[in-house]
Amino acid sequence: MSTPSPDELARQRTQLIEAMSGVSEERWCAGWLHGLDARLHAEGGIWETLGRSIGWPVGDYEQWTWVPWDEAAEIYAKEQR
């Protein structure tokens, strides 16, 4: 797999955030919003495909920090302890 260009990476990350936002809106309405980033990470599926290729956003929605998929898993595991 080739490394995406900075423009492509920014576009892919924007798409991931938009997709997560759509899910978060539905879950907020159902009262499931707390810990959304950890929940989506744990579910895997398409999220894992994207997360492994472009990184995973952790932290505050307004100021995401992008980390590798496995590093996000370690962060979430520590939060569970």
Side-chain angles (χ1 to χ4, degrees):
M1 181 187 309
S2 63
T3 303
S5 70
D7 288 342
E8 179 69 10
L9 185 63
R11 185 181 68 76
Q12 290 173 349
R13 287 178 167 177
T14 298
Q15 288 175 335
L16 176 60
I17 292 298
E18 287 173 356
M20 289 174 71
S21 295
V23 172
S24 68
E25 182 176 350
E26 291 174 11
R27 291 197 173 175
W28 180 81
C29 292
W32 300 346
L33 185 57
H34 181 71
L36 177 71
D37 51 350
R39 286 176 185 263
L40 292 178
H41 187 278
E43 288 173 3
I46 189 171
W47 307 110
E48 182 171 359
T49 301
L50 290 167
R52 287 193 181 277
S53 65
I54 63 173
W56 190 254
V58 296
D60 184 85
Y61 182 80
E62 297 296 323
Q63 302 232 331
W64 290 116
T65 298
W66 291 86
V67 299
W69 178 266
D70 293 333
E71 186 176 330
E74 291 174 14
I75 291 168
Y76 297 139
K78 288 178 186 173
E79 289 177 1
Q80 296 301 313
R81 293 183 199 146

